[in-house]
Amino acid sequence: MQENKEEIKRKSQRETTASPNHFIRKLVSEDLKKVAQGGHLVTRFPPEPNGYLHIGHAKSICLNFELAREFEGRCHMRFDDTNPSSETAEYVSSILEDVRWLGYDWGEHLYNASDQFPPLYDLAIKLIQLELAYVCDLSSEEIFQKRGTLTEPGENSPYRDRSIEENLTLFEQMKAGAFAPGKRVLRAKIDMASSILPMRDPILYRIVDTPHHRTGRDWSIYPMYDFAHCLTDALEGVTHSFCTLEFTDHRPLYDWLLEKLDFHDPPKQTEFARLNLSHTVLSKRILKQLVERGHVSGWDDPRMPTISGLRRRGYTPKSIRDFCEGIGVAKRDSTIQMARLEFSVREHLNSAAPRAMAVLNPLKVIITNYPEASVEKITAINNPEDELQGTREVPFTREIWIEREDFLENPPKKFFRLAPGREVRLRYAYLVTCQNVLKNADGEITEVHCTYDPETRGGNAPDGRRVKGTIHWVSTSHAHDAEIRLFDVLFNVEDPMTSDPNSDFTAHLNPGSVEILKQAKLEPSLMESEGEQTFQFERMGYFIKDRDSTAERSVWNRTVTLRDTWAKTQTKAGRKI
RNA sequence: UGGGGCGUCGCCAAAUGGUAAGGCAGCGGCCUUUGGAGCCGCCAUUUGUAGGUUCGAGUCCUACCGCCCCAGCCA
């Protein structure tokens, strides 16, 4: 009974931590209360299809979809595809796949800003008729010059007071493709002296002659973000429009357009701080450069902070969702440490990942008193954290591979793995004692000879003697060769973009971000692995089979290491084994 | 030096004006057939600074300091 209470207390505490009542959740909750009846929440995730999604987008995806689920509303998936010159159908499909993989379903609510081009055009005409928009013939340089500066007001365009009729005709001609790109734009007539730059007669439509991935050549004019975003939000019936801090200055324009175009119950924009992660970069532009310049193998390189990269790395959707929920939502600029992301994936994988034994850097061990032809089936637990995952049989023989770092001829204090004369436990199998070491001409250890205690099958000594060290192993005659890729941070500084303003960010690229081991030995059960299953290789970390695997040879990516207090101790002692 | 946003522990992040939650990291210890996991304990006399109001201030007022964003026909 007492135990139960404590357990309940612990659980509720955990839940409280996992669901912080951040300011957006509170705001939604309050807003929904205000609307007398039927107040419901409609959010949206509105990416531009001009790159792959990264962990920063995941924060927004989780925010919008989780809030919708929590308040029994809905979340729209919408492509902000108003700029055909940088958008492609390939990006569209990668984005849909990533959002789906993260575990979210937009149901029927898949939209495109481009679907709204006709009504958007009509709304622009309405604005012209309201004398709140005009066609401007100034060149982009002239517009720039007349915009003023941060401290000085701008000046009115000489085309600002054209008649409604002239504006209508010109705008129609723009749409008809009568002018070259850059020749004319449609502008809102607001205030060239506004201290809010986006309010200085912002451009609403521009001429673009690149074909659009969805509408082809149907249009020669395209709406700008500021015009399209608020209106598509309103047209879709979105109630809450969450975006990052840099759009704060655009909110007056967002509200202005909605008000002038007479939308009732307009959507409300609220800004929150975007995610920054240490030791990497979360900018589509920079990520694209890493891909194009060949610093990584692609958008889904396991070192990339992209959703597809994390997926290939072995991260689970749940671990990413938990991460996003756990870091909170606020307005202050912040950078989450990579260790926090790693914590999330370890936490999930610890309970979910099946265990297996794999030797990354093999060293041969011969158990001299073990019968040569014998093959024993050793029972191993698949996941000590989850009984339901059951057990499996692992073949044990006279010759096995152990981890090279698990044997030391001259062990330091507190090293309780194998060493001359020392006894260790072979995980789930037997206690063995090192009797002898063989070396090659260079003095490298090539073979370790041990004897085993036949009375210790399973790993326990009948006489009750205690053995501190347990190491993992793989039978040499049953082992499968594999290539293993170990990853480290892509950049060796916390913030690659500002650590050294004088150098290119590529100067901070970590030359050791990937290490390839080609001699790894895997226990046979791993060969049956199919699909995206991340395993824990006991004592070594979490690993997932990469798509580069072939029928003959598998390739595995290390997702993350296990917490390693021994390594930490060694580092502190300034020693390396 | 125009406007906007923001300053609470190394990193995140809570706190109707009522006496600074929690997580990550770190550090000690227990336990352990993964040096994993788990468990226990420690880790902000103080909220950018300086004043003020108040019985009482992270919360209110004033001034100052610092960081971020805005001058794309990008989003």
Side-chain angles (χ1 to χ4, degrees), chain A residues 456-467:
Chain A
T456 58
R457 193 180 202 275
N460 286 309
D463 65 4
R465 69 179 186 276
R466 294 172 56 81
V467 173

Side-chain angles (χ1 to χ4, degrees), chain A residues 111-264:
Chain A
Y111 302 101
N112 296 280
S114 54
D115 292 336
Q116 312 281 14
F117 283 168
L120 253 19
Y121 177 76
D122 293 341
L123 256 6
I125 287 185
K126 186 173 171 188
L127 216 48
I128 291 173
Q129 285 164 341
L130 256 18
E131 292 189 274
L132 292 173
Y134 62 97
V135 171
C136 182
D137 301 1
L138 256 24
S139 68
S140 65
E141 295 74 35
E142 290 167 324
I143 289 178
F144 167 75
Q145 251 132 39
K146 288 178 182 291
R147 187 149 30 217
T149 68
L150 294 178
T151 53
E152 296 157 329
E155 6 166 349
N156 285 169
S157 163
Y159 304 99
R160 204 172 195 259
D161 295 314
R162 287 220 250 231
S163 69
I164 292 174
E165 291 66 33
E166 189 182 4
N167 279 318
L168 252 17
T169 306
L170 253 16
F171 189 48
E172 195 175 320
Q173 288 177 320
M174 280 170 65
K175 177 178 180 257
F179 311 117
K183 289 302 179 194
R184 283 184 172 80
V185 291
L186 181 74
R187 293 229 254 170
K189 192 189 286 190
I190 307 181
D191 177 12
M192 289 306 291
S194 175
S195 53
I196 303 158
L197 267 31
M199 295 296 269
R200 316 239 267 225
D201 287 13
I203 292 168
L204 268 19
Y205 267 90
R206 77 291 211 185
I207 299 166
V208 178
D209 70 357
T210 310
H212 186 279
H213 68 95
R214 294 192 77 252
T215 62
R217 294 219 171 256
D218 291 354
W219 296 82
S220 49
I221 53 171
Y222 290 86
M224 296 288 288
Y225 166 86
D226 284 312
F227 186 75
H229 203 89
C230 57
L231 296 177
T232 47
D233 275 349
L235 259 13
E236 287 178 19
V238 165
T239 60
H240 293 260
S241 187
F242 304 119
C243 62
T244 44
L245 255 24
E246 66 269 28
F247 292 102
T248 306
D249 290 344
H250 295 244
R251 179 154 29 92
L253 178 52
Y254 185 103
D255 293 336
W256 185 90
L257 282 163
L258 257 19
E259 187 210 317
K260 299 303 180 192
L261 289 169
D262 206 27
F263 280 90
H264 299 293

